[in-house]
């Protein structure tokens, strides 16, 4: 575990690169976290960027392929800050973004708190705390030159590649009776190229992913609060985008969500 001064220094360095749209190879040895818990200690200081309460959480690396790609052995949690949330159908700048992908996801808004406790939360307990389901699109990025080379602790410190996030309107269909793992979603790029996926691409089921993050965070003493949103990982292989592109995410009975990209 890095001490608080080192965690603050590491976070300040990462946030400086986030603000400037620049990259670094790795955190300096003196402030580099070595464990997942150390990474979360650094990440906590991302809230210094925000004047608003925490908007919610994201889960990175929810597929085996994604974990292999970035050389981690499991999913990672990151914070979504309010200032990085964009409205539906917004134009999103890709300036400084090296990843340049859009991720089509299911997001859940909590209706009550889930506080740290000695035992893990069951899936049923987590689902019972959910107030609503939303379509969502994440536009991630990393502050590292090669985010595949730095390992889980440094990726967590870098807010698990959180960047920009679009939340759609709450789903009115009865999603609790639907098998979200089997539910098909797609991303249509520029009206011509369609990318298909299913909910099972997010840790086997978006509700499994949601339960994972609740237990990941509460085990570290961090609650999930009423009103916070959790986006549970991409259901479609991340879609490469460039300035001028538009993406229409289609969630079937749960609606659509559109984003366009600029320089």
């Amino acid at each position: 575990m890095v001490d608080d001064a080192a965690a603050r220094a590491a976070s300040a360095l990462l946030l400086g690169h986030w603000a400037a749209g620049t990259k670094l190879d790795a955190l300096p040895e003196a402030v580099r976290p070595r464990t997942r818990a150390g990474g979360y200690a650094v990440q906590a200081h991302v809230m210094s960027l925000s004047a608003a309460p925490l908007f919610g959480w994201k889960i990175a690396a929810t597929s085996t392929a994604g974990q292999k790609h970035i050389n981690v052995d499991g999913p990672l949690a990151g914070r979504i800050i309010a200032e990085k949330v964009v409205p539906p159908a917004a134009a999103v700048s890709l300036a400084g973004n090296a990843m340049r992908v859009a991720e089509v996801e299911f997001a859940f808004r909590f209706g009550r708190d889930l506080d740290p406790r000695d035992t893990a939360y069951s899936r049923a307990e987590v689902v019972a705390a959910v107030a609503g389901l939303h379509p969502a699109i994440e536009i991630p990025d990393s502050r590292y030159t090669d985010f595949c080379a730095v390992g889980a602790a440094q990726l967590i410190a870098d807010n698990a590649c959180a960047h920009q996030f679009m939340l759609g309107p709450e789903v009115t269909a009865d999603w609790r009776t639907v098998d979200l793992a089997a539910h098909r979603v797609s991303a249509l790029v520029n009206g011509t190229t369609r990318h298909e996926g299913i909910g099972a691409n997010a840790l086997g089921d978006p509700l499994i992913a949601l339960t994972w993050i609740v237990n990941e965070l509460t085990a570290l003493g961090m609650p999930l609060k009423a009103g916070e949103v959790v986006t549970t990982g991409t259901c479609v292989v991340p879609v490469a985008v460039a300035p001028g592109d538009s993406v229409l995410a289609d969630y079937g009975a749960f609606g659509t969500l559109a984003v366009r990209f600029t320089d």
Side-chain angles (χ1 to χ4, degrees):
M1 174 73 77
V2 292
D3 64 28
D4 188 60
R8 288 180 182 276
S11 180
L13 183 58
L14 289 165
L15 296 184
H17 283 280
W18 197 356
T22 53
K23 308 295 178 186
L24 74 164
D25 290 336
L27 288 168
E29 288 280 349
V31 299
R32 185 180 302 173
R34 307 295 176 180
T35 64
R36 293 173 67 95
Y40 285 119
V42 175
Q43 183 193 118
H45 295 293
V46 74
M47 291 309 296
S48 66
L49 279 183
S50 183
L54 178 65
F55 186 86
W57 299 87
K58 62 156 289 183
I59 310 174
T62 52
S63 70
T64 302
Q67 291 164 15
K68 289 180 179 177
H69 177 60
I70 62 174
N71 293 303
V72 298
D73 60 3
L76 318 171
R79 287 167 167 84
I80 302 171
I81 63 173
E83 287 82 355
K84 295 296 183 178
V85 178
V86 298
V92 173
S93 172
L94 290 172
N97 188 320
M99 283 189 172
R100 297 198 167 197
V101 295
E103 299 185 347
V104 178
E105 311 196 357
F106 286 115
F108 300 86
R109 180 173 49 82
F110 281 104
R112 60 180 175 83
D113 295 356
L114 291 174
D115 292 317
R117 68 185 195 187
D118 292 336
T119 57
Y121 283 92
S122 69
R123 171 170 162 166
E125 289 176 304
V126 171
V127 173
V130 171
L133 172 69
H134 297 252
I137 297 174
E138 189 190 0
I139 303 105
D141 195 24
S142 174
R143 273 48 69 177
Y144 299 114
T145 307
D146 182 359
F147 59 88
C148 299
V150 295
Q154 289 196 81
L155 288 172
I156 291 169
D158 187 33
N159 209 18
C161 301
H163 188 49
Q164 292 163 303
F165 178 67
M166 179 180 288
L167 186 71
E170 184 174 340
V171 168
T172 57
D174 185 8
W175 60 269
R176 294 177 189 270
T177 63
V178 173
D179 180 0
L180 293 180
H183 191 80
R184 303 201 68 81
V185 299
S186 66
L188 184 65
V189 182
N190 298 330
T192 58
T193 305
R194 186 176 297 276
H195 304 259
E196 303 280 355
I198 58 173
N201 290 331
L203 269 186
D205 187 320
L207 296 176
I208 292 175
L210 187 66
T211 305
W212 172 84
I213 196 172
V214 168
N215 288 315
E216 173 84 346
L217 297 177
T218 56
L220 292 165
M222 294 183 279
L224 281 295
K225 294 290 191 180
E228 291 179 356
V229 167
V230 173
T231 192
T232 50
T234 188
C235 300
V236 176
V237 172
V239 177
V241 293
D245 284 346
S246 63
V247 175
L248 178 66
D250 188 343
Y251 304 81
F254 300 145
T256 61
L257 191 58
V259 61
R260 55 192 176 88
F261 295 95
T262 66
D263 291 316

